[in-house]
Amino acid sequence: MTTQQISYFLALADELHYWQTSYKLNITQSALSRQIKALEEELNIELFTRSSRKVELTSAGSFLQKQWKPLLEKIYSTVDYAKKINKGEGGTIVINHPGSIAYDVIPDLLTRVSHSYPNVKVELVQVKGAEELELIKNFRGDVIYSRHLYETDFLESKQVNTDNLSLVLPEKHVIRKEADIVRKVLQQQRFILPNLQPNDSYSETILRFFKSYKTTPEVCFVSDFGSTILSLVQGGLGISIMPHSFSHTHHPGVRFLPIPFSISLYAYWRKEEENALVRNIVQFI
Amino acid sequence: MTTQQISYFLALADELHYWQTSYKLNITQSALSRQIKALEEELNIELFTRSSRKVELTSAGSFLQKQWKPLLEKIYSTVDYAKKINKGEGGTIVINHPGSIAYDVIPDLLTRVSHSYPNVKVELVQVKGAEELELIKNFRGDVIYSRHLYETDFLESKQVNTDNLSLVLPEKHVIRKEADIVRKVLQQQRFILPNLQPNDSYSETILRFFKSYKTTPEVCFVSDFGSTILSLVQGGLGISIMPHSFSHTHHPGVRFLPIPFSISLYAYWRKEEENALVRNIVQFI
DNA sequence: TTTGATTGATGTGTTTTGTGCATTAATCAA
DNA sequence: TTGATTAATGCACAAAACACATCAATCAAA
């Protein structure tokens, strides 16, 4: 059983067509046909039922398709990570973070990293929700900053900071101070907010704010990119809610008015990390 | 990359000795040496540092050893399970259960199973704690009876029953009725109990019983086998606490005195089970 | 220092396996 | 009935894997 055979199998299980699959895999139909047959014979399992016109997965084949797809991905990702370990300190580390900390926490960290490890390449990615956990589980990411509090047994974590939320307003907006924030005024506003998702602490905190005024926001634009939101607010297209730390960007024509809601930021990394570089960089968090 | 190469690698990573490893794998030292080298070249990772006298894992090699061991095991276990699915209804299903239900729940289930599926082979196993979950995750077990309440997203569950605990006493023991159970008497007793483990509901319930009398048991014998415990109690070597359903065994010379503590029994099986036989048998639970 | 034993690497020839090309047999649609 | 499509297969060749034998490096004992 080879990883090649497994990926051939997965490809055919997707396409259910020998010629088409073999074309995509850059091999001949004959080679594919034989490899599948070899796999079936080695495992002593019928994977496909095939007539000269139709290819279908057997139930055992369908089971293996579902099981092997993530397994093969995991094998490859461990290999990639082992390569990184093998190369040593000149390697790359992958940091996932919410856009909102791109202006303070991340530059801070990167400054320290590049000072101590000038040759290290840092890759920044922004995924969210369940995908962040997949990222660090599959060794595709090394450090994760998240607003969400995870309780797992394979990660170590540290609370990095707690940040106030602020209303983000155009310079000349009618809301001037906290006392101006009342139900009636909020209901007249149009909001530019990030994608609000269930089970996401950040989203939930924002919703708690509106709930405290017994209202729901009228959302006119949705964006997950801080700078986009700031520009839209500046253009008078609506108001927003963002972590107060965004005010450090000094975006012109925009005011930040703190509200009594705050969100925490956590950093996560793998327990018993094998990559010495990652272990060292975690020290800087 | 072949599964064979991976298992060669894992074997060598354990032994750190080419000749010894090749002997265990029933191949020549030359074949092993070349396969490892081929793997290293394909992945472009140094797995071992070797002189003509010493073999050692590199840090990348050590990482892959830890990662690949469970992955390879999972690949094999999925294959085994696919074979079962492939064979269909004449297959085997594996049921894990605590010994305490061997006298009522299990025979009940087996009667119904063998009536409807006379050709099905049922394998009964008894593991406990975290191993139960591994069993069903790796497709090495199909149905699990457990006293423990698991909250997972890949299992379905059903509460099967709730069973009273009983003090198990020799026929002529001084404790005759519930009112006789007092702190002073309990402290004089020697107990025969199963292995009490943290995070195990059954153990915790037993400990709650003693706590309610502000005492801790003096344990003289430890056994996880119900019939052993019963015989020891009968022999006057101590008293015990067991699920009341054990009284159905009608072990002579032993009395069961119910106490107001109960434990629930849950059955678990995989969500979206692929094996039709298992799906059918779950109906009987 | 010398010698012998041990260990991993490697050269060689043979066997096994994988692949492409061409062809065949089965099926479907016109 | 005919032509097109599709998976299987015979064949030849190339690549890979293997056992055997040998080599070079290392270590321990004499």
Side-chain angles (χ1 to χ4, degrees), chain B residues 96-102 104-106 132 144-149 157-163 201-202 243 245 262-268 285:
Chain B
N96 183 59
H97 67 93
S100 53
I101 64 167
D104 46 1
V105 177
I106 292 292
E132 317 184 302
I144 288 186
Y145 284 98
S146 173
R147 304 268 181 214
H148 200 80
L149 178 60
S157 65
K158 187 181 168 181
Q159 181 169 343
V160 177
N161 66 29
T162 297
D163 200 355
S201 321
Y202 188 61
S245 55
S262 64
I263 40 170
S264 294
L265 179 70
Y266 305 93
Y268 299 94
I285 292 174

PDB file of all heavy atoms in Angstrom, chain B residues 96-102 104-106 132 144-149 157-163 201-202 243 245 262-268 285:
ATOM      1  N   ASN B  96     -18.122  -3.490  23.858  1.00  0.00           N
ATOM      2  CA  ASN B  96     -17.379  -3.309  25.102  1.00  0.00           C
ATOM      3  C   ASN B  96     -18.362  -3.040  26.235  1.00  0.00           C
ATOM      4  O   ASN B  96     -19.315  -2.286  26.060  1.00  0.00           O
ATOM      5  CB  ASN B  96     -16.409  -2.133  24.956  1.00  0.00           C
ATOM      6  CG  ASN B  96     -15.565  -1.964  26.192  1.00  0.00           C
ATOM      7  OD1 ASN B  96     -14.845  -2.879  26.588  1.00  0.00           O
ATOM      8  ND2 ASN B  96     -15.676  -0.795  26.818  1.00  0.00           N
ATOM      9  N   HIS B  97     -18.119  -3.641  27.380  1.00  0.00           N
ATOM     10  CA  HIS B  97     -19.068  -3.429  28.480  1.00  0.00           C
ATOM     11  C   HIS B  97     -18.393  -3.644  29.822  1.00  0.00           C
ATOM     12  O   HIS B  97     -17.435  -4.411  29.919  1.00  0.00           O
ATOM     13  CB  HIS B  97     -20.251  -4.390  28.339  1.00  0.00           C
ATOM     14  CG  HIS B  97     -19.870  -5.822  28.542  1.00  0.00           C
ATOM     15  ND1 HIS B  97     -19.946  -6.448  29.760  1.00  0.00           N
ATOM     16  CD2 HIS B  97     -19.376  -6.743  27.683  1.00  0.00           C
ATOM     17  CE1 HIS B  97     -19.535  -7.700  29.637  1.00  0.00           C
ATOM     18  NE2 HIS B  97     -19.167  -7.910  28.386  1.00  0.00           N
ATOM     19  N   PRO B  98     -18.895  -2.982  30.850  1.00  0.00           N
ATOM     20  CA  PRO B  98     -18.385  -3.242  32.184  1.00  0.00           C
ATOM     21  C   PRO B  98     -18.887  -4.601  32.660  1.00  0.00           C
ATOM     22  O   PRO B  98     -19.970  -5.045  32.267  1.00  0.00           O
ATOM     23  CB  PRO B  98     -18.983  -2.120  33.029  1.00  0.00           C
ATOM     24  CG  PRO B  98     -20.180  -1.661  32.283  1.00  0.00           C
ATOM     25  CD  PRO B  98     -19.931  -1.939  30.832  1.00  0.00           C
ATOM     26  N   GLY B  99     -18.077  -5.266  33.464  1.00  0.00           N
ATOM     27  CA  GLY B  99     -18.429  -6.608  33.906  1.00  0.00           C
ATOM     28  C   GLY B  99     -19.778  -6.684  34.600  1.00  0.00           C
ATOM     29  O   GLY B  99     -20.472  -7.698  34.533  1.00  0.00           O
ATOM     30  N   SER B 100     -20.179  -5.583  35.202  1.00  0.00           N
ATOM     31  CA  SER B 100     -21.380  -5.621  36.015  1.00  0.00           C
ATOM     32  C   SER B 100     -22.657  -5.880  35.221  1.00  0.00           C
ATOM     33  O   SER B 100     -23.677  -6.232  35.803  1.00  0.00           O
ATOM     34  CB  SER B 100     -21.527  -4.303  36.780  1.00  0.00           C
ATOM     35  OG  SER B 100     -21.446  -3.218  35.893  1.00  0.00           O
ATOM     36  N   ILE B 101     -22.627  -5.700  33.914  1.00  0.00           N
ATOM     37  CA  ILE B 101     -23.874  -5.929  33.174  1.00  0.00           C
ATOM     38  C   ILE B 101     -23.839  -7.243  32.404  1.00  0.00           C
ATOM     39  O   ILE B 101     -24.685  -7.511  31.569  1.00  0.00           O
ATOM     40  CB  ILE B 101     -24.182  -4.775  32.193  1.00  0.00           C
ATOM     41  CG1 ILE B 101     -23.117  -4.679  31.105  1.00  0.00           C
ATOM     42  CG2 ILE B 101     -24.320  -3.463  32.939  1.00  0.00           C
ATOM     43  CD1 ILE B 101     -23.551  -3.784  29.952  1.00  0.00           C
ATOM     44  N   ALA B 102     -22.829  -8.060  32.708  1.00  0.00           N
ATOM     45  CA  ALA B 102     -22.702  -9.330  32.005  1.00  0.00           C
ATOM     46  C   ALA B 102     -23.860 -10.267  32.300  1.00  0.00           C
ATOM     47  O   ALA B 102     -24.043 -11.267  31.623  1.00  0.00           O
ATOM     48  CB  ALA B 102     -21.381 -10.002  32.379  1.00  0.00           C
ATOM     49  N   ASP B 104     -27.279  -9.263  32.871  1.00  0.00           N
ATOM     50  CA  ASP B 104     -28.642  -8.915  32.473  1.00  0.00           C
ATOM     51  C   ASP B 104     -28.689  -8.213  31.117  1.00  0.00           C
ATOM     52  O   ASP B 104     -29.224  -8.757  30.163  1.00  0.00           O
ATOM     53  CB  ASP B 104     -29.329  -8.064  33.560  1.00  0.00           C
ATOM     54  CG  ASP B 104     -28.448  -6.935  34.087  1.00  0.00           C
ATOM     55  OD1 ASP B 104     -27.305  -6.795  33.602  1.00  0.00           O
ATOM     56  OD2 ASP B 104     -28.911  -6.203  34.977  1.00  0.00           O
ATOM     57  N   VAL B 105     -28.060  -7.026  31.014  1.00  0.00           N
ATOM     58  CA  VAL B 105     -28.169  -6.260  29.780  1.00  0.00           C
ATOM     59  C   VAL B 105     -27.578  -7.008  28.593  1.00  0.00           C
ATOM     60  O   VAL B 105     -28.195  -7.127  27.538  1.00  0.00           O
ATOM     61  CB  VAL B 105     -27.490  -4.889  29.936  1.00  0.00           C
ATOM     62  CG1 VAL B 105     -27.535  -4.128  28.632  1.00  0.00           C
ATOM     63  CG2 VAL B 105     -28.164  -4.096  31.044  1.00  0.00           C
ATOM     64  N   ILE B 106     -26.372  -7.542  28.795  1.00  0.00           N
ATOM     65  CA  ILE B 106     -25.683  -8.200  27.691  1.00  0.00           C
ATOM     66  C   ILE B 106     -26.427  -9.453  27.203  1.00  0.00           C
ATOM     67  O   ILE B 106     -26.686  -9.582  25.996  1.00  0.00           O
ATOM     68  CB  ILE B 106     -24.224  -8.523  28.089  1.00  0.00           C
ATOM     69  CG1 ILE B 106     -23.431  -7.220  28.237  1.00  0.00           C
ATOM     70  CG2 ILE B 106     -23.558  -9.435  27.078  1.00  0.00           C
ATOM     71  CD1 ILE B 106     -23.207  -6.469  26.953  1.00  0.00           C
ATOM     72  N   GLU B 132     -11.775   3.029  26.244  1.00  0.00           N
ATOM     73  CA  GLU B 132     -13.063   2.767  25.590  1.00  0.00           C
ATOM     74  C   GLU B 132     -13.236   3.673  24.396  1.00  0.00           C
ATOM     75  O   GLU B 132     -13.668   3.254  23.326  1.00  0.00           O
ATOM     76  CB  GLU B 132     -14.258   3.059  26.524  1.00  0.00           C
ATOM     77  CG  GLU B 132     -14.159   2.618  27.913  1.00  0.00           C
ATOM     78  CD  GLU B 132     -15.461   2.893  28.679  1.00  0.00           C
ATOM     79  OE1 GLU B 132     -15.930   4.054  28.768  1.00  0.00           O
ATOM     80  OE2 GLU B 132     -15.995   1.913  29.179  1.00  0.00           O
ATOM     81  N   ILE B 144     -20.341   0.511  22.792  1.00  0.00           N
ATOM     82  CA  ILE B 144     -19.716   0.584  24.098  1.00  0.00           C
ATOM     83  C   ILE B 144     -20.772   0.830  25.161  1.00  0.00           C
ATOM     84  O   ILE B 144     -21.536   1.787  25.068  1.00  0.00           O
ATOM     85  CB  ILE B 144     -18.694   1.734  24.134  1.00  0.00           C
ATOM     86  CG1 ILE B 144     -17.481   1.366  23.303  1.00  0.00           C
ATOM     87  CG2 ILE B 144     -18.283   2.055  25.565  1.00  0.00           C
ATOM     88  CD1 ILE B 144     -16.387   2.379  23.405  1.00  0.00           C
ATOM     89  N   TYR B 145     -20.813  -0.050  26.135  1.00  0.00           N
ATOM     90  CA  TYR B 145     -21.611   0.238  27.322  1.00  0.00           C
ATOM     91  C   TYR B 145     -20.679   0.820  28.359  1.00  0.00           C
ATOM     92  O   TYR B 145     -19.576   0.292  28.571  1.00  0.00           O
ATOM     93  CB  TYR B 145     -22.241  -1.034  27.881  1.00  0.00           C
ATOM     94  CG  TYR B 145     -23.426  -1.527  27.089  1.00  0.00           C
ATOM     95  CD1 TYR B 145     -23.287  -2.537  26.153  1.00  0.00           C
ATOM     96  CD2 TYR B 145     -24.698  -0.979  27.286  1.00  0.00           C
ATOM     97  CE1 TYR B 145     -24.373  -3.003  25.421  1.00  0.00           C
ATOM     98  CE2 TYR B 145     -25.788  -1.439  26.568  1.00  0.00           C
ATOM     99  CZ  TYR B 145     -25.621  -2.445  25.637  1.00  0.00           C
ATOM    100  OH  TYR B 145     -26.704  -2.891  24.932  1.00  0.00           O
ATOM    101  N   SER B 146     -21.097   1.893  28.976  1.00  0.00           N
ATOM    102  CA  SER B 146     -20.217   2.524  29.961  1.00  0.00           C
ATOM    103  C   SER B 146     -21.043   3.197  31.044  1.00  0.00           C
ATOM    104  O   SER B 146     -22.162   3.642  30.807  1.00  0.00           O
ATOM    105  CB  SER B 146     -19.323   3.552  29.267  1.00  0.00           C
ATOM    106  OG  SER B 146     -18.589   4.278  30.234  1.00  0.00           O
ATOM    107  N   ARG B 147     -20.467   3.249  32.222  1.00  0.00           N
ATOM    108  CA  ARG B 147     -21.112   3.979  33.308  1.00  0.00           C
ATOM    109  C   ARG B 147     -20.810   5.467  33.183  1.00  0.00           C
ATOM    110  O   ARG B 147     -21.367   6.278  33.918  1.00  0.00           O
ATOM    111  CB  ARG B 147     -20.568   3.499  34.657  1.00  0.00           C
ATOM    112  CG  ARG B 147     -20.693   2.012  34.893  1.00  0.00           C
ATOM    113  CD  ARG B 147     -21.990   1.684  35.596  1.00  0.00           C
ATOM    114  NE  ARG B 147     -22.134   0.270  35.862  1.00  0.00           N
ATOM    115  CZ  ARG B 147     -23.310  -0.344  35.838  1.00  0.00           C
ATOM    116  NH1 ARG B 147     -24.414   0.334  35.572  1.00  0.00           N
ATOM    117  NH2 ARG B 147     -23.376  -1.632  36.090  1.00  0.00           N
ATOM    118  N   HIS B 148     -19.912   5.793  32.294  1.00  0.00           N
ATOM    119  CA  HIS B 148     -19.445   7.168  32.211  1.00  0.00           C
ATOM    120  C   HIS B 148     -20.262   7.945  31.181  1.00  0.00           C
ATOM    121  O   HIS B 148     -20.632   7.427  30.139  1.00  0.00           O
ATOM    122  CB  HIS B 148     -17.975   7.187  31.818  1.00  0.00           C
ATOM    123  CG  HIS B 148     -17.297   8.478  32.152  1.00  0.00           C
ATOM    124  ND1 HIS B 148     -16.860   8.777  33.421  1.00  0.00           N
ATOM    125  CD2 HIS B 148     -17.004   9.549  31.394  1.00  0.00           C
ATOM    126  CE1 HIS B 148     -16.316   9.972  33.425  1.00  0.00           C
ATOM    127  NE2 HIS B 148     -16.388  10.471  32.202  1.00  0.00           N
ATOM    128  N   LEU B 149     -20.542   9.208  31.486  1.00  0.00           N
ATOM    129  CA  LEU B 149     -21.274  10.054  30.553  1.00  0.00           C
ATOM    130  C   LEU B 149     -20.283  10.840  29.707  1.00  0.00           C
ATOM    131  O   LEU B 149     -19.602  11.728  30.207  1.00  0.00           O
ATOM    132  CB  LEU B 149     -22.195  11.016  31.317  1.00  0.00           C
ATOM    133  CG  LEU B 149     -22.994  11.990  30.448  1.00  0.00           C
ATOM    134  CD1 LEU B 149     -23.891  11.240  29.478  1.00  0.00           C
ATOM    135  CD2 LEU B 149     -23.815  12.928  31.320  1.00  0.00           C
ATOM    136  N   SER B 157     -25.595   8.345  21.698  1.00  0.00           N
ATOM    137  CA  SER B 157     -25.670   7.626  22.957  1.00  0.00           C
ATOM    138  C   SER B 157     -27.114   7.462  23.407  1.00  0.00           C
ATOM    139  O   SER B 157     -28.025   8.113  22.904  1.00  0.00           O
ATOM    140  CB  SER B 157     -24.906   8.399  24.039  1.00  0.00           C
ATOM    141  OG  SER B 157     -25.547   9.626  24.263  1.00  0.00           O
ATOM    142  N   LYS B 158     -27.276   6.564  24.337  1.00  0.00           N
ATOM    143  CA  LYS B 158     -28.589   6.340  24.916  1.00  0.00           C
ATOM    144  C   LYS B 158     -28.385   5.878  26.355  1.00  0.00           C
ATOM    145  O   LYS B 158     -27.505   5.059  26.618  1.00  0.00           O
ATOM    146  CB  LYS B 158     -29.328   5.259  24.125  1.00  0.00           C
ATOM    147  CG  LYS B 158     -30.758   5.081  24.546  1.00  0.00           C
ATOM    148  CD  LYS B 158     -31.422   3.995  23.755  1.00  0.00           C
ATOM    149  CE  LYS B 158     -32.755   3.655  24.397  1.00  0.00           C
ATOM    150  NZ  LYS B 158     -33.446   2.581  23.674  1.00  0.00           N
ATOM    151  N   GLN B 159     -29.193   6.431  27.238  1.00  0.00           N
ATOM    152  CA  GLN B 159     -29.118   5.936  28.610  1.00  0.00           C
ATOM    153  C   GLN B 159     -29.904   4.645  28.674  1.00  0.00           C
ATOM    154  O   GLN B 159     -31.092   4.602  28.336  1.00  0.00           O
ATOM    155  CB  GLN B 159     -29.691   6.963  29.589  1.00  0.00           C
ATOM    156  CG  GLN B 159     -29.608   6.481  31.020  1.00  0.00           C
ATOM    157  CD  GLN B 159     -29.922   7.572  32.030  1.00  0.00           C
ATOM    158  OE1 GLN B 159     -29.899   8.743  31.686  1.00  0.00           O
ATOM    159  NE2 GLN B 159     -30.220   7.184  33.246  1.00  0.00           N
ATOM    160  N   VAL B 160     -29.240   3.586  29.084  1.00  0.00           N
ATOM    161  CA  VAL B 160     -29.873   2.267  29.039  1.00  0.00           C
ATOM    162  C   VAL B 160     -30.700   2.012  30.290  1.00  0.00           C
ATOM    163  O   VAL B 160     -31.847   1.597  30.230  1.00  0.00           O
ATOM    164  CB  VAL B 160     -28.816   1.166  28.874  1.00  0.00           C
ATOM    165  CG1 VAL B 160     -29.465  -0.207  28.896  1.00  0.00           C
ATOM    166  CG2 VAL B 160     -28.050   1.380  27.586  1.00  0.00           C
ATOM    167  N   ASN B 161     -30.108   2.256  31.430  1.00  0.00           N
ATOM    168  CA  ASN B 161     -30.858   2.069  32.672  1.00  0.00           C
ATOM    169  C   ASN B 161     -30.151   2.789  33.816  1.00  0.00           C
ATOM    170  O   ASN B 161     -29.088   3.378  33.635  1.00  0.00           O
ATOM    171  CB  ASN B 161     -31.022   0.581  33.001  1.00  0.00           C
ATOM    172  CG  ASN B 161     -29.699  -0.092  33.323  1.00  0.00           C
ATOM    173  OD1 ASN B 161     -28.768   0.545  33.811  1.00  0.00           O
ATOM    174  ND2 ASN B 161     -29.619  -1.381  33.040  1.00  0.00           N
ATOM    175  N   THR B 162     -30.775   2.747  34.948  1.00  0.00           N
ATOM    176  CA  THR B 162     -30.142   3.262  36.153  1.00  0.00           C
ATOM    177  C   THR B 162     -30.217   2.152  37.191  1.00  0.00           C
ATOM    178  O   THR B 162     -31.275   1.562  37.396  1.00  0.00           O
ATOM    179  CB  THR B 162     -30.878   4.508  36.659  1.00  0.00           C
ATOM    180  OG1 THR B 162     -30.770   5.520  35.673  1.00  0.00           O
ATOM    181  CG2 THR B 162     -30.275   5.009  37.951  1.00  0.00           C
ATOM    182  N   ASP B 163     -29.116   1.860  37.781  1.00  0.00           N
ATOM    183  CA  ASP B 163     -29.030   0.708  38.660  1.00  0.00           C
ATOM    184  C   ASP B 163     -28.674   1.176  40.074  1.00  0.00           C
ATOM    185  O   ASP B 163     -27.848   2.061  40.251  1.00  0.00           O
ATOM    186  CB  ASP B 163     -27.947  -0.248  38.139  1.00  0.00           C
ATOM    187  CG  ASP B 163     -28.149  -1.651  38.702  1.00  0.00           C
ATOM    188  OD1 ASP B 163     -29.052  -1.834  39.548  1.00  0.00           O
ATOM    189  OD2 ASP B 163     -27.400  -2.550  38.283  1.00  0.00           O
ATOM    190  N   SER B 201     -16.955   7.550  36.731  1.00  0.00           N
ATOM    191  CA  SER B 201     -18.207   7.809  37.451  1.00  0.00           C
ATOM    192  C   SER B 201     -18.495   6.734  38.490  1.00  0.00           C
ATOM    193  O   SER B 201     -18.979   7.031  39.583  1.00  0.00           O
ATOM    194  CB  SER B 201     -19.388   7.866  36.480  1.00  0.00           C
ATOM    195  OG  SER B 201     -19.037   8.508  35.311  1.00  0.00           O
ATOM    196  N   TYR B 202     -18.233   5.505  38.119  1.00  0.00           N
ATOM    197  CA  TYR B 202     -18.520   4.398  39.032  1.00  0.00           C
ATOM    198  C   TYR B 202     -17.706   4.547  40.310  1.00  0.00           C
ATOM    199  O   TYR B 202     -18.245   4.499  41.427  1.00  0.00           O
ATOM    200  CB  TYR B 202     -18.194   3.083  38.318  1.00  0.00           C
ATOM    201  CG  TYR B 202     -18.617   1.848  39.055  1.00  0.00           C
ATOM    202  CD1 TYR B 202     -19.960   1.625  39.354  1.00  0.00           C
ATOM    203  CD2 TYR B 202     -17.694   0.873  39.424  1.00  0.00           C
ATOM    204  CE1 TYR B 202     -20.361   0.473  40.020  1.00  0.00           C
ATOM    205  CE2 TYR B 202     -18.080  -0.269  40.079  1.00  0.00           C
ATOM    206  CZ  TYR B 202     -19.416  -0.464  40.382  1.00  0.00           C
ATOM    207  OH  TYR B 202     -19.797  -1.600  41.033  1.00  0.00           O
ATOM    208  N   PRO B 243     -23.316  -3.052  41.818  1.00  0.00           N
ATOM    209  CA  PRO B 243     -24.645  -2.745  41.278  1.00  0.00           C
ATOM    210  C   PRO B 243     -25.623  -3.815  41.721  1.00  0.00           C
ATOM    211  O   PRO B 243     -25.282  -5.005  41.774  1.00  0.00           O
ATOM    212  CB  PRO B 243     -24.429  -2.800  39.762  1.00  0.00           C
ATOM    213  CG  PRO B 243     -22.975  -2.580  39.573  1.00  0.00           C
ATOM    214  CD  PRO B 243     -22.314  -3.191  40.770  1.00  0.00           C
ATOM    215  N   SER B 245     -27.931  -5.203  40.296  1.00  0.00           N
ATOM    216  CA  SER B 245     -28.287  -6.221  39.299  1.00  0.00           C
ATOM    217  C   SER B 245     -27.455  -7.489  39.460  1.00  0.00           C
ATOM    218  O   SER B 245     -27.842  -8.554  38.989  1.00  0.00           O
ATOM    219  CB  SER B 245     -28.118  -5.655  37.889  1.00  0.00           C
ATOM    220  OG  SER B 245     -26.825  -5.163  37.707  1.00  0.00           O
ATOM    221  N   SER B 262     -27.097   5.496  43.077  1.00  0.00           N
ATOM    222  CA  SER B 262     -27.360   4.775  41.826  1.00  0.00           C
ATOM    223  C   SER B 262     -26.403   5.250  40.742  1.00  0.00           C
ATOM    224  O   SER B 262     -25.852   6.342  40.802  1.00  0.00           O
ATOM    225  CB  SER B 262     -28.801   4.983  41.395  1.00  0.00           C
ATOM    226  OG  SER B 262     -29.016   6.339  41.111  1.00  0.00           O
ATOM    227  N   ILE B 263     -26.220   4.386  39.783  1.00  0.00           N
ATOM    228  CA  ILE B 263     -25.366   4.722  38.657  1.00  0.00           C
ATOM    229  C   ILE B 263     -26.121   4.424  37.388  1.00  0.00           C
ATOM    230  O   ILE B 263     -26.907   3.486  37.298  1.00  0.00           O
ATOM    231  CB  ILE B 263     -24.068   3.901  38.674  1.00  0.00           C
ATOM    232  CG1 ILE B 263     -24.407   2.464  39.086  1.00  0.00           C
ATOM    233  CG2 ILE B 263     -23.038   4.520  39.572  1.00  0.00           C
ATOM    234  CD1 ILE B 263     -23.281   1.547  38.909  1.00  0.00           C
ATOM    235  N   SER B 264     -25.878   5.254  36.382  1.00  0.00           N
ATOM    236  CA  SER B 264     -26.552   5.049  35.107  1.00  0.00           C
ATOM    237  C   SER B 264     -25.652   4.284  34.161  1.00  0.00           C
ATOM    238  O   SER B 264     -24.433   4.299  34.291  1.00  0.00           O
ATOM    239  CB  SER B 264     -26.913   6.394  34.479  1.00  0.00           C
ATOM    240  OG  SER B 264     -27.872   7.044  35.281  1.00  0.00           O
ATOM    241  N   LEU B 265     -26.286   3.622  33.229  1.00  0.00           N
ATOM    242  CA  LEU B 265     -25.541   2.899  32.199  1.00  0.00           C
ATOM    243  C   LEU B 265     -25.885   3.537  30.861  1.00  0.00           C
ATOM    244  O   LEU B 265     -27.060   3.747  30.548  1.00  0.00           O
ATOM    245  CB  LEU B 265     -25.943   1.427  32.200  1.00  0.00           C
ATOM    246  CG  LEU B 265     -25.258   0.561  31.149  1.00  0.00           C
ATOM    247  CD1 LEU B 265     -23.785   0.371  31.490  1.00  0.00           C
ATOM    248  CD2 LEU B 265     -25.961  -0.784  31.026  1.00  0.00           C
ATOM    249  N   TYR B 266     -24.841   3.846  30.093  1.00  0.00           N
ATOM    250  CA  TYR B 266     -25.063   4.449  28.784  1.00  0.00           C
ATOM    251  C   TYR B 266     -24.524   3.527  27.702  1.00  0.00           C
ATOM    252  O   TYR B 266     -23.550   2.804  27.902  1.00  0.00           O
ATOM    253  CB  TYR B 266     -24.347   5.800  28.682  1.00  0.00           C
ATOM    254  CG  TYR B 266     -24.718   6.763  29.781  1.00  0.00           C
ATOM    255  CD1 TYR B 266     -23.971   6.842  30.948  1.00  0.00           C
ATOM    256  CD2 TYR B 266     -25.831   7.587  29.652  1.00  0.00           C
ATOM    257  CE1 TYR B 266     -24.317   7.721  31.969  1.00  0.00           C
ATOM    258  CE2 TYR B 266     -26.195   8.464  30.667  1.00  0.00           C
ATOM    259  CZ  TYR B 266     -25.425   8.526  31.822  1.00  0.00           C
ATOM    260  OH  TYR B 266     -25.775   9.393  32.814  1.00  0.00           O
ATOM    261  N   ALA B 267     -25.166   3.581  26.549  1.00  0.00           N
ATOM    262  CA  ALA B 267     -24.639   2.877  25.381  1.00  0.00           C
ATOM    263  C   ALA B 267     -24.200   3.923  24.372  1.00  0.00           C
ATOM    264  O   ALA B 267     -24.852   4.958  24.206  1.00  0.00           O
ATOM    265  CB  ALA B 267     -25.696   1.967  24.774  1.00  0.00           C
ATOM    266  N   TYR B 268     -23.074   3.657  23.717  1.00  0.00           N
ATOM    267  CA  TYR B 268     -22.543   4.594  22.723  1.00  0.00           C
ATOM    268  C   TYR B 268     -22.250   3.870  21.423  1.00  0.00           C
ATOM    269  O   TYR B 268     -21.848   2.701  21.426  1.00  0.00           O
ATOM    270  CB  TYR B 268     -21.235   5.229  23.217  1.00  0.00           C
ATOM    271  CG  TYR B 268     -21.389   6.024  24.486  1.00  0.00           C
ATOM    272  CD1 TYR B 268     -21.157   5.439  25.718  1.00  0.00           C
ATOM    273  CD2 TYR B 268     -21.751   7.364  24.439  1.00  0.00           C
ATOM    274  CE1 TYR B 268     -21.291   6.167  26.891  1.00  0.00           C
ATOM    275  CE2 TYR B 268     -21.894   8.097  25.600  1.00  0.00           C
ATOM    276  CZ  TYR B 268     -21.659   7.496  26.824  1.00  0.00           C
ATOM    277  OH  TYR B 268     -21.802   8.217  27.965  1.00  0.00           O
ATOM    278  N   ILE B 285     -30.759  -1.885  21.196  1.00  0.00           N
ATOM    279  CA  ILE B 285     -30.311  -1.368  22.493  1.00  0.00           C
ATOM    280  C   ILE B 285     -31.443  -0.662  23.212  1.00  0.00           C
ATOM    281  O   ILE B 285     -32.034   0.245  22.673  1.00  0.00           O
ATOM    282  CB  ILE B 285     -29.104  -0.424  22.306  1.00  0.00           C
ATOM    283  CG1 ILE B 285     -27.908  -1.246  21.833  1.00  0.00           C
ATOM    284  CG2 ILE B 285     -28.781   0.303  23.604  1.00  0.00           C
ATOM    285  CD1 ILE B 285     -26.710  -0.407  21.487  1.00  0.00           C
TER     286      ILE B 285
END
